[in-house]
Amino acid sequence: SQQGEEDPQALSIQEGENATMNCSYKTSINNLQWYRQNSGRGLVHLILIRSNEREKHSGRLRVTLDTSKKSSSLLITASRAADTASYFCATDGRETSGSRLTFGEGTQLTVNP
Amino acid sequence: EPEVTQTPSHQVTQMGQEVILRCVPISNHLYFYWYRQILGQKVEFLVSFYNNEISEKSEIFDDQFSVERPDGSNFTLKIRSTKLEDSAMYFCASSEAGLGETQYFGPGTRLLVL
């Protein structure tokens, strides 16, 4: 299995609704980061949550981390059409040397106006 | 707000040619990275660089690849003798510190090997 697996793979919602994306990982981590990628573009950092944190907020974003279940969720509230993008979680594993990030497959979010 | 920049945005090359992808990390950052994303696949780590040397590399980063910080601002990825399967988006990233810190990514260079 891959470190950092997101589900669902694709999510389609209406503007104004909330979007929840989940990420699971296999090994112990130092932190988990969420990134956003518009089609064919670069990765935009959204939020970093450390292994000793359980929840973090940034604007309309809420991230939770459950290290006992090795999972994280990203909640986008009051979604907008401009939130349409792919969302990736990335882990910075304790069991790897250095600081490489291991990315998941991503969730493609479509917000319909 | 400071950002990582990359040039060129697109590069087309013939198989067997050498390419150099360039990156300017955020100025006060000390750790630099290259990742790649083959179309439709997930982002994969290639290499990390600190204090003028490679700190970690993945199994993808074989002898075909090399990195360099030729001056105080640029960070380059050289791919010698490109192969068709090297076609991908290549991302540079930088972070202020190493393990546990936010990595900020550039917009990427889309490399197409024909």
Side-chain angles (χ1 to χ4, degrees):
Chain A
S1 295
Q2 299 292 327
Q3 183 86 335
E5 297 181 353
E6 290 93 340
D7 79 87
Q9 289 187 325
L11 179 62
S12 182
I13 59 174
Q14 295 300 122
E15 213 165 21
E17 293 180 340
N18 295 341
T20 299
M21 289 160 274
N22 303 297
C23 167
S24 61
Y25 56 91
K26 297 295 182 183
T27 62
S28 298
I29 61 170
N30 292 295
N31 64 62
L32 186 145
Q33 306 185 48
W34 283 91
Y35 287 85
R36 164 200 167 117
Q37 184 181 35
N38 285 55
S39 180
R41 300 291 194 91
L43 293 159
V44 176
H45 183 262
L46 296 177
I47 199 163
L48 180 151
I49 186 164
R50 302 196 185 281
S51 59
N52 61 353
E53 297 175 311
R54 292 297 166 257
E55 188 170 312
K56 208 162 181 181
H57 297 254
S58 177
R60 294 185 295 113
L61 305 180
R62 173 178 167 249
V63 168
T64 62
L65 180 64
D66 186 335
T67 53
S68 66
K69 294 181 180 176
K70 291 186 167 61
S71 68
S72 173
S73 67
L74 171 67
L75 168 67
I76 303 174
T77 60
S79 63
R80 306 166 182 167
D83 294 329
T84 295
S86 291
Y87 292 83
F88 297 90
C89 68
T91 53
D92 180 349
R94 285 186 193 277
E95 295 180 13
T96 61
S97 61
S99 50
R100 70 163 69 185
L101 292 180
T102 301
F103 283 80
E105 304 280 352
T107 293
Q108 172 60 50
L109 173 67
T110 301
V111 181
N112 301 299
Chain B
E1 186 173 327
E3 57 185 20
V4 177
T5 59
Q6 289 184 243
T7 55
S9 58
H10 294 78
Q11 174 118 26
V12 180
T13 190
Q14 295 293 320
M15 191 169 58
Q17 295 296 305
E18 174 183 287
V19 295
I20 297 176
L21 310 183
R22 291 183 167 79
C23 167
V24 178
I26 294 173
S27 62
N28 63 330
H29 286 187
L30 301 176
Y31 292 77
F32 315 116
Y33 314 86
W34 283 101
Y35 292 82
R36 79 173 185 190
Q37 184 181 34
I38 294 171
L39 188 64
Q41 298 186 24
K42 58 183 175 181
V43 177
E44 302 173 291
F45 170 81
L46 292 177
V47 66
S48 59
F49 192 86
Y50 169 70
N51 201 26
N52 281 320
E53 61 183 26
I54 290 173
S55 51
E56 187 182 4
K57 60 183 180 179
S58 72
E59 54 281 357
I60 301 169
F61 194 89
D62 59 21
D63 293 343
Q64 179 195 11
F65 294 91
S66 62
V67 289
E68 193 179 27
R69 188 152 164 83
D71 54 43
S73 59
N74 290 284
F75 179 51
T76 62
L77 174 69
K78 182 189 289 186
I79 310 174
R80 286 181 281 273
S81 190
T82 50
K83 305 170 191 167
L84 296 176
E85 54 265 36
D86 294 328
S87 295
M89 181 78 99
Y90 287 80
F91 293 108
C92 173
S94 68
S95 63
E96 197 169 345
L99 194 64
E101 294 301 316
T102 298
Q103 293 184 23
Y104 294 92
F105 282 72
T109 293
R110 185 168 295 284
L111 176 66
L112 178 60
V113 182
L114 302 176

